[in-house]
Amino acid sequence: MQRSIATVSISGTLAEKLAAIRQAGFDGVEIFENDLLYFDGSPAEVRRMAEDLGLKIVLFQPFRDFEGVSAERLSRNLERVKRKFDLMHELGCDRILVCSNVSPETIADDALIVDQLGALARAAQQAGVVAAYEALAWGRHVHSYRHAWRLVDAVNHPNLGLALDSFHTLSLNDPVDEIASIPGERIAFVQIADAPKLAMDVLEWSRHYRCFPGQGDFDLARFTARVIEAGFTGPLSLEIFNDGFRAAQTATTAKDGYRSLLYLEEQTRALMERERAARRASQPLFTPPAPPAHVGFQFLEFAVDATTGAQVADWLGKLSFRLAGKHRSKDATLYQHGAASIVLNAERDSFADAFYQQHGLSLCASAFRVDDAKVAFERAAGFGYTPFSGRVGPNERVLPSVQAPDGSLEYFVDEAPDAPTLYESDFVLTDMNGPAEVGPLDGIDHVCLSLPADALDTWILFFKTAFGFDAEPSWVVPDPYGLVRSRAVRSRDGSVRIALNASADRHTAVADALDTYHGSGLNHVAFRTGDIFGAIEQFVADGVPFLRIPRNYYDDLAARYALPDDLIDALAEKHILYDRDERGGEFFHAYTERIGRRFSFEIVERRGGYDGYGAINAAVRLAAQAQQRK
Amino acid sequence: MQRSIATVSISGTLAEKLAAIRQAGFDGVEIFENDLLYFDGSPAEVRRMAEDLGLKIVLFQPFRDFEGVSAERLSRNLERVKRKFDLMHELGCDRILVCSNVSPETIADDALIVDQLGALARAAQQAGVVAAYEALAWGRHVHSYRHAWRLVDAVNHPNLGLALDSFHTLSLNDPVDEIASIPGERIAFVQIADAPKLAMDVLEWSRHYRCFPGQGDFDLARFTARVIEAGFTGPLSLEIFNDGFRAAQTATTAKDGYRSLLYLEEQTRALMERERAARRASQPLFTPPAPPAHVGFQFLEFAVDATTGAQVADWLGKLSFRLAGKHRSKDATLYQHGAASIVLNAERDSFADAFYQQHGLSLCASAFRVDDAKVAFERAAGFGYTPFSGRVGPNERVLPSVQAPDGSLEYFVDEAPDAPTLYESDFVLTDMNGPAEVGPLDGIDHVCLSLPADALDTWILFFKTAFGFDAEPSWVVPDPYGLVRSRAVRSRDGSVRIALNASADRHTAVADALDTYHGSGLNHVAFRTGDIFGAIEQFVADGVPFLRIPRNYYDDLAARYALPDDLIDALAEKHILYDRDERGGEFFHAYTERIGRRFSFEIVERRGGYDGYGAINAAVRLAAQAQQRK
């Protein structure tokens, strides 16, 4: 599959954009006219820049308000478009996007429009270029691709084709299946954009909230499958207007864009296989290894030094973790409680050390138990995430790993029957054969990360592509000093859940954590228990300080739910937060105070199939944490 | 007039909010329930905090989804509301806001609702409180105040009144005039919010984009006039859900809120006077002195040291400014060209010096020529802006001034006939009686300031209140590294225009300037000329470097407008940007390169009544400046 992107989708000068686009892996680029206008050099120089990079200029865009006009306006428009054809020759580009007219003065007469598009086609033929006619969702008369296709079909000229744009079609809930019956050679261009579903004016939505495939809510696989089935042989080209992308790092955004197309191809292929599509794909689609079947967190690894290591070990001890082993060749210690394993890594001159130097006490790696670590790694690397390998001692396990967007590591671990476990091969275990102490925690329920505001979409794409996770809907939570946007991802089996919090505001808890960590950081680790009241009683007795929740919260809880007074009192006494879902599932959760202004632990109990994270309680928690920060 | 604000309108903890609200001047406060839930202390403690501050808790809110429900649900709701009545007693608050039901299960039966609101009224009576029933714009069955009033009127009980909220009424374009005929004593509460007109879902619009009166687009004066005419005697209370306010400084937002109510009262009084309202105002409205009739910029004053002063003086010399005088008692120099006057202030241990220490080379003061400086000052001070007075030498003029939101000064200057001018009294003029040299510049056309993203609304309110300026619609401009929001204000006669640019993105030109200035700063000063081609020819000959505009811009200009080729070439050669309005008015403008990464000068020529700022060219200018920054 050829892959392309419009220059408007990323930040920077035109030269920066072209270099980043090529570097990310794209074959082609759409030149957005404004990027050319702002470029201090001739179109021929742009052509040379692209050629030197090995990048094909697949489209020049946009040309506006051509059709459905008076005869006098038509001749002015033909003059105008011919100037652009000249410019395209200089650019070395043979295709121009012509958007349906949005002017209130548009003449709503299909026969007239067919005539005028015919004139456009003949002018294009003379210039040796192709015009691709696109229905804008907010076009005055023509706003559906089906209408645009009827017009293009009626003109019936090789130099006029149809342009499809997933946003314009899916934003209107226009049915996509008819795309498959359009002759592939009459589809002159295909633009791809995802978007979150928003109840707003479609023009504003399009101009500011588009995003890469996999970051939004559209069923892009179906749209793309129909395009492929039509026999389209050109590139899939991203055209994303997004306020965040305009301000983000050029190279990062370009790479995310490329990955998002790979992901879309995988989703499209899967859909076509499910549908047993009668027609074969006209182009090969990216086929990565299937996502691993996750069976949970293997361990979380913290970068520590002697002081902070002792501090965290003390907390873990109070949470009834036991010292389970020492690493054979590194200054690393393993703590376990139930299925929850935590490694504290203080090894000098290691990756953890480098991470510690940059971020201080922090989560430097997460290990995921998968069915096949090698395949899981190949999938992540296939989506372009950077592999990592560190020093390994004799007989120790080599863990395949990739770098997450913040530079921390994600390890993949599998266990073969009858082979030593990872812990057996890498650690001297303290009581290998002794009976494991039984504590109240069962394992890691979820992990919550604090991210810079502009990194949320990048992380969502990371977990969707590299891990094959699903993303849940996002929500916005008020902190006393701003807003926090939160979105969770999870493995298909629910065994791994990661909540991502981001905030554009400077004084929220999320921003405070990012300042402390110099970049992205752990917000909290949630441990699962079957008896939260017992667990907290024990932990409090052992000296764990829990985050204090105001009594007013509990009085309101009593008004909202018909909970017995003694339960309310028990919750209030132990500072346990409560949520209930529509099917009666219940969530009990409490937070420890923060460890050195960094992260906290959460203790959670899920009853009756409750599947969320107590989002309704996030605001009271953030307020309590803000109070604690003061 | 009593003035109140809801705690949800500003950032911070409840204690911080109450203190800031009182400090800003409010008499009353609405307690938003979540603020109470997050407060780690009893409602009685909140009551004491408010009492200690001298603040009345005028409302507890919101109570949701009470009416239009099954009998069983009604009894649960009555239980629920009684718990809140108990809480209100502790709070010392006798009024609760009850919002119309938004549940899809609402029973759309007015008779049933009247019955159920009757039950609410009786429960309220028993508890000695008043329920204020409000139609939410997105209420399931009840969404207009007129419908809510019919229901309240039918219940006809002293403990149930109508709550009005300007957002809910004006967002639906509901006619407001009928408010005047509701008996004032039946209006239990009035909430005030402005908002920009946005084409989006009304719930999202309300939850995120409300703003203070004067910052948005609603005709709040008409709404408020009708409330006053109804005979309402309670407070006007701001209830603003705004993402920016949630993250902004608590004290600044509270002060802006108070000023916005003063401004609304002034606007309301003016409207009622114009309408010669038959009924007198039920409450006195704030009556500041009328805004001054502006007759232009008197001078702009830069904080400089010896080095930067020489640098700016050199630029001014090349722009044909003449050294017009030296200050009698300070190290300050006056430069003039046409009606444009610039003061370079290098006086040690002065306000300018302090400003220079903090911001470096910067615009530390602006002086405005007004008809009556004392009255203009009194207006600004009446809106709560901080007066400033500095050292004044013998026989020098005392200039009344207030501090702008960034701490720079705004002077008001008037001239009496036969009295010495400001320049004569304060400066030793160099060629008082000699012939003034004639240069190509006529005066200052406008000034453009770079602001932090969260300061734009504060500055809009500053110019509207302190100066009585009008604000033009805002627009968004792409910079290569993010977006810039721009909004201009102007005096009613158009003689003073100030454009305000703000950007939330970290790498835009606006953000770069703010970094350089450590806070808000001057973006550019635009000088007006009657002959831009001649002026630029002269300035270029004198060594002024102009910002280079790409040739591609001019090729597109030729395609867009039917401009003769030689004009296009002349524009391109001199790097002059061009715009044309719908009535044929034309705008020619060019920017100098930046002076030490700080500000630039712009030369503008307006023809045929062109009244804008060439907004269409902002993107190409920002791109050229970004190129220059590299």
Side-chain angles (χ1 to χ4, degrees), chain A residues 576-595:
Chain A
I576 296 173
L577 299 161
Y578 177 84
D579 188 24
R580 190 160 68 194
D581 66 24
E582 286 178 354
R583 292 160 319 195
E586 290 177 298
F587 191 57
F588 298 79
H589 59 139
Y591 295 83
T592 69
E593 291 190 1
R594 290 196 304 169
I595 301 176

Side-chain angles (χ1 to χ4, degrees), chain B residues 167-401:
Chain B
F167 182 90
H168 294 302
T169 296
L170 298 172
S171 64
L172 298 183
N173 282 318
D174 230 10
V176 301
D177 286 346
E178 294 178 29
I179 292 172
S181 58
I182 298 171
E185 69 280 7
R186 301 304 309 281
I187 300 176
F189 208 75
V190 175
Q191 290 177 318
I192 298 287
D194 202 349
K197 292 225 164 122
L198 296 172
M200 68 189 304
D201 177 68
V202 67
L203 174 57
E204 283 296 301
W205 184 21
S206 173
R207 291 259 169 98
H208 299 284
Y209 296 96
R210 290 180 175 214
C211 57
F212 290 136
Q215 294 174 336
D217 297 325
F218 286 157
D219 184 358
L220 287 176
R222 180 169 306 273
F223 176 88
T224 310
R226 297 300 97 92
V227 167
I228 301 286
E229 287 158 21
F232 176 69
T233 56
L236 295 181
S237 190
L238 296 166
E239 190 203 29
I240 317 291
F241 305 90
N242 179 298
D243 290 358
F245 292 4
R246 284 180 183 278
Q249 291 293 325
T250 312
T252 306
T253 315
K255 276 186 200 149
D256 278 355
Y258 190 74
R259 287 170 180 135
S260 77
L261 277 183
L262 297 183
Y263 181 71
L264 174 60
E265 290 177 34
E266 178 190 33
Q267 302 293 309
T268 302
R269 185 181 45 77
L271 176 73
M272 291 175 75
E273 279 171 11
R274 283 201 302 281
E275 293 180 338
R276 293 184 184 78
R279 298 176 63 168
R280 295 288 299 280
S282 49
Q283 300 192 52
L285 295 165
F286 179 68
T287 309
H294 281 270
V295 294
F297 288 98
Q298 180 82 5
F299 62 83
L300 300 177
E301 181 174 331
F302 289 84
V304 298
D305 65 3
T307 310
T308 52
Q311 185 185 15
V312 178
D314 179 57
W315 274 81
L316 292 174
K318 290 173 179 165
L319 289 167
S320 302
F321 275 70
R322 67 195 178 101
L323 174 62
K326 298 265 186 191
H327 197 277
R328 293 187 189 278
S329 66
K330 293 178 192 156
D331 183 5
T333 321
L334 173 67
Y335 292 85
Q336 290 186 318
H337 181 159
S341 296
I342 305 268
V343 173
L344 304 185
N345 190 337
E347 175 75 2
R348 295 299 83 180
D349 300 325
S350 67
F351 170 80
D353 189 26
F355 211 81
Y356 191 85
Q357 297 308 323
Q358 196 183 347
H359 302 287
L361 169 60
S362 52
L363 183 69
C364 66
S366 304
F368 299 92
R369 178 81 170 269
V370 296
D371 46 356
D372 187 328
K374 182 164 167 290
V375 169
F377 166 80
E378 278 165 5
R379 177 180 173 90
F383 277 105
Y385 294 101
T386 312
F388 176 84
S389 53
R391 259 186 300 120
V392 178
N395 299 322
E396 292 169 18
R397 193 84 78 85
V398 175
L399 294 187
S401 70

